[in-house]
Structure formats: C-alpha cells, structure tokens
Amino acid sequence: MNTVLKDKNIVIGITGGIAAYKAADIVSSLIKQGARVKVIMTRNAMEFISPLTFETLSGNPVYYDMFSRSGAWEIDHISLAKWADVIAVAPATANIIGKVSHGIADDLLTTTIMATKAQVMFAPAMNTNMYNNSIVRENISALKEKGYIFISPAEGRLACGDVGEGKLAAIDDIIQAIADYFSRKQDLKGKRVLVTAGPTREYIDPVRFISNPSTGKMGYAIAAACASRGADVHLVTGPVSLSPPDGVNIYSVETAQEMYEKVMELYPSCQVVFKSAAVGDYRPETYQTNKIKKDNDQLTLTLIKNPDILKELGKQKKDQILVGFAAETQNLLEYAIKKLKEKNLDFIVANDVTKTGAGFKEDTNEGLLITCEGETIAIPMLNKNEFAHRIIDEVLKRSPRLIDKNH
Ligand code: CTP
C-alpha cells in the first residue's frame, strides 16, 4: 500500500496494444491505493478492451472523443491536462511515442499530453524488433531528454510468439514508478554531487586496451537518483553504452589518468562524491603508437600503477562526504573496512560481485553500507535505481551537514 498515491489525480492513457487489458489491473491498483483515476483511450485501444471495464474500475467516464464536452465550458483535453498530477501511458505503443516525440496531437490522448504541465510517463509495450528499432529508440531518447519518464519493458515471451524485450513492465513496477515520482524528495537541492561510473581503458596500442566488465549501471543510477532529488550532478564516466540520465552534466573519459584529472578539477566545488567507477589500477608502462605486430611468440607487458583517485580525494578532503565502493570476491567486510580507512572515506558500499544479482552486469544490487563510525547497514537486493536511492537515504540520514534546513 502506497499512501503517497492517496488523493493524487492520475490520468491513465491506454493505447492500442495487446497489453491494453493489463491496464485494468493498473487502474484497479491505483484506485485501491486511494488515487483518483481518469482514463483516456485511443480508438485502437478500444479494439482490444471495452471502455466499460475502465468506467467501472475508475468510477469515472472514459475519455476518447476529441469533440465531446464533459462540462458546459471546458473541453476535455484541457480539463484533463489541468486535472492530472501525472499522466501515465500504459501500454504505450511505438505510435504514441513517435507522435509525442514529434509534436503530433491528433487525438484526445496526444492533445492532452501536449497541453499538460503534469509529469508524463510511458510504459512501452511492443514487439521486440519494434522496441529495438532505431527510430523508436531515438524517439524514446529524445523524450527522456525532455524529462518524460519511461518505465522500461520487461523481457519475456511476447503475444506475437517472439521472445525478448518489449513486454509491458510488471504492474507493481508501474505503480511503484508512479509512487516514486510523487515521493521523490528534493533533499539534495542546492548540493553539487560528483559521481564516477563505468570502467577505464588503459591503452596498450591504438587498437588494444586493458579494461574490466563494469557497465556503469550503478553509477548512472546514483547520478539519476541524485538529480531526481534536486542535486546539481556531475558525472565523470568511462566508456559505457547507457543513455545519460536527464539533467546530469556528463564528462566522458577513457583512462584512469583522464578520470583523475577531471575528478580533481570538479572536487573542490562538490559536497558529496560517489566514487562508483571501476578504475584500472595499472596501465602499460609504454604505449606503442603503432599497432603491435604478432612477430614474437611471447609478449611481455610491464604495468605501472595508476593514481588511486579516491585515495587522493581522501587526502584532500575538506568538508566533502566521500562514498567509495568496494566490489569484492572474498573477505567482503574486512577488505571494505580497510579501504574505508586507508582512503579516509565517510562511507563505503561493499558488495560481493560473485553473488547472483550483485555483479557488474546485473540490473540489481545487494550489499553493505559501512560508515566510518563502524556501523554496517545491509541493503537488500533491489533494482539498481532503488538501491541508489537507499544508499542516498542512508548517507543523508548520517550526514547532518548535508541536510538543507529548507527541506
Ligand atoms: N578507486 C579509485 N582509483 C583507483 C582504484 C580505485 O578511485 N585507481 C576507487 C574506486 O572507484 C572505488 C574504490 O576506490 O570507489 C575501491 O576500488 P576497488 O577497485 O574495489 O579497490 P582498490 O582500491 O583498487 O583495491 P584492490 O584492487 O586492491 O581491491
């Protein structure tokens, strides 16, 4: 039960996909949690499910006609646009995403979306090939950049028989995403936060490098969570294939040395640092300017140490809160505490990367947050976005100097 949804005005937009029937559960769940729900259906959606279902569940008429008039003086798309605290389109087809991203407003749902100042969210559901089509991907990226929230589809067997990404997200995840929007605190407003993410690359020659499997997901989730809580976020990132979170300043780097320089430049003006990048500890002593040829049976590489960025931040620390990360394969607590002390950190997030659900490539994480006072807080297995919010919650609770009296 999410009390945060109580008395919120939520417009559910339903578009024409087979998952339209699942919107009944969304409406029903929102109503049970005390929200007020009005439903807009497209003509195509009505081919899949009857408006009567939603009228019954929401206790309100279902809107679909551009030219019907609910009141004597207001037209529906304007009154619904003003009434809504959130408009959530679920399921959202490639068509509605394409239309909104190009400013097309040719039916009640698109005109309402165009006219609203409320947050608009999309829960896409479509065939995997459609979802992966570069046109759809570009439309999603463009909308994300403009602040529209996307609730990613799940993977699984689709109605068309294909298996892959494109299944409407689980109902609970959709409800949670709407609730998260309402409970999004602005407790980092006015704070500058530095986040590092992803791997580094240590070049051997122009076409070869030493790196690690970090995907950057954890760091990007932290950056996005901080931004959603009002922070001015500066994300220094190694090479990853993730879209930059909305409203975050991005600095792309490749090597540990480049990361070191950018981080040191930004550090003095930041109040909090989340150092989640998987930095290469060593780099080749010599960089070959031309591609190395396989002339010899053996090739010996001599590696030299890279700067320990976090350790340097610890040395130069004034009143910043420093949060380090320790990805370990054994002796988790012991190694993490050692790093916390040696690098003069305030907190360290320790996780055992050999555990299923807590590794580099996973969408979830689980771990321990250890404080410099010796407190250990277990963070359960959560998706990386929620894990990020939990880390921030716990860090803020224990960092009185970060708490803004105005919030
Ligand atoms: N880190 C860093 N610069 C480095 C190495 C690590 O800033 N050259 C940071 C990481 O971003 C992380 C923390 O230090 O926040 C711990 O990184 P990790 O790779 O777990 O540990 P190391 O200090 O490299 O020690 P070891 O490899 O011996 O476990």
Side-chain angles (χ1 to χ4, degrees):
M1 175 87 181
N2 255 309
T3 49
V4 74
L5 292 168
K6 193 164 180 326
D7 296 332
K8 296 294 187 297
N9 291 345
I10 299 170
V11 168
I12 295 293
I14 303 171
T15 62
I18 186 66
Y21 76 94
K22 294 185 182 170
D25 281 339
I26 301 175
V27 172
S28 156
S29 176
L30 289 170
I31 293 286
K32 279 189 197 132
Q33 299 187 55
R36 299 185 202 102
V37 180
K38 291 186 180 180
V39 172
I40 303 178
M41 295 180 81
T42 62
R43 296 261 171 210
N44 287 343
M46 290 192 294
E47 298 287 334
F48 289 91
I49 183 164
S50 153
L52 184 61
T53 307
F54 297 104
E55 286 188 358
T56 314
L57 291 170
S58 70
N60 279 311
V62 164
Y63 301 82
Y64 52 88
D65 189 351
M66 259 307 274
F67 303 102
S68 82
R69 291 168 61 119
S70 55
W73 56 87
E74 279 205 308
I75 25 181
D76 284 340
H77 68 280
I78 303 298
S79 61
L80 287 166
K82 282 188 193 156
W83 179 84
D85 295 320
V86 153
I87 299 180
V89 184
T93 54
N95 187 44
I96 183 92
I97 293 167
K99 283 208 251 180
V100 176
S101 89
H102 288 87
I104 295 169
D106 64 350
D107 61 10
L108 189 64
L109 183 57
T110 46
T111 43
T112 307
I113 290 175
M114 219 56 74
T116 194
K117 288 213 163 87
Q119 176 67 52
V120 179
M121 306 169 89
F122 292 100
M126 65 194 80
N127 167 272
T128 304
N129 292 340
M130 281 174 95
Y131 186 64
N132 288 324
N133 185 311
S134 61
I135 300 173
V136 175
R137 285 302 161 122
E138 279 161 25
N139 289 337
I140 292 177
S141 296
L143 288 172
K144 276 188 181 170
E145 261 171 46
K146 292 188 171 71
Y148 291 80
I149 294 175
F150 277 77
I151 306 161
S152 301
E155 275 189 40
R157 191 178 178 284
L158 306 172
C160 54
D162 285 1
V163 176
E165 214 176 355
K167 217 170 134 73
L168 184 71
I171 305 302
D172 285 350
D173 290 347
I174 296 174
I175 303 293
Q176 189 59 48
I178 299 172
D180 281 352
Y181 167 73
F182 287 114
S183 58
R184 198 187 269 174
K185 300 162 231 154
Q186 291 290 295
D187 49 9
L188 281 172
K189 209 174 179 71
K191 300 286 178 291
R192 260 170 89 100
V193 177
L194 174 58
V195 182
T196 70
T200 59
R201 287 179 177 174
E202 308 305 328
Y203 280 89
I204 301 166
D205 70 12
V207 293
R208 301 180 182 98
F209 54 78
I210 301 170
S211 192
N212 61 66
S214 168
T215 56
K217 283 181 188 167
M218 195 61 247
Y220 274 57
I222 289 183
C226 290
S228 78
R229 296 166 82 138
D232 173 17
V233 182
H234 297 263
L235 173 62
V236 181
T237 173
V240 295
S241 50
L242 299 171
S243 337
D246 294 330
V248 163
N249 303 287
I250 294 263
Y251 309 89
S252 296
V253 296
E254 281 197 274
T255 65
Q257 186 61 33
E258 286 167 6
M259 183 173 280
Y260 173 79
E261 283 160 25
K262 190 39 87 181
V263 165
M264 288 303 157
E265 178 193 319
L266 295 164
Y267 186 47
S269 61
C270 291
Q271 285 87 50
V272 193
V273 181
F274 291 96
K275 189 77 192 53
S276 71
V279 186
D281 288 329
Y282 294 91
R283 66 175 181 276
E285 184 174 33
T286 42
Y287 168 73
Q288 306 290 332
T289 43
N290 288 311
K291 187 181 171 197
I292 300 171
K293 291 288 164 195
K294 56 171 184 300
D295 297 334
N296 301 318
D297 287 342
Q298 283 196 340
L299 177 70
T300 306
L301 275 181
T302 305
L303 303 178
I304 54 166
K305 240 187 183 163
N306 270 328
D308 188 323
I309 308 171
L310 189 54
K311 198 167 181 178
E312 197 50 43
L313 296 178
K315 277 189 202 151
Q316 297 187 17
K317 184 161 78 170
K318 294 211 167 69
D319 55 1
Q320 288 97 337
I321 303 285
L322 267 191
V323 187
F325 285 73
E328 305 291 349
T329 56
Q330 57 175 344
N331 306 333
L332 181 64
L333 203 56
E334 182 195 332
Y335 287 161
I337 292 173
K338 191 164 174 265
K339 286 175 192 173
L340 176 89
K341 289 191 176 143
E342 281 177 3
K343 301 191 189 201
N344 189 24
L345 309 179
D346 299 279
F347 299 89
I348 194 156
V349 181
N351 62 335
D352 178 348
V353 285
T354 62
K355 265 197 179 172
T356 316
F360 282 126
K361 292 181 181 150
E362 307 276 355
D363 287 324
T364 52
N365 205 355
E366 172 186 13
L368 302 172
L369 177 72
I370 307 161
T371 75
C372 58
E373 273 97 34
E375 191 187 352
T376 299
I377 304 127
I379 316 276
M381 174 92 63
L382 293 167
N383 74 44
K384 282 187 172 165
N385 295 334
E386 274 181 56
F387 189 88
H389 275 290
R390 282 291 286 278
I391 298 286
I392 299 166
D393 289 342
E394 301 297 341
V395 166
L396 282 179
K397 257 192 243 168
R398 291 166 181 80
S399 309
R401 66 179 182 273
L402 273 181
I403 295 170
D404 187 337
K405 312 270 177 310
N406 300 321
H407 288 278

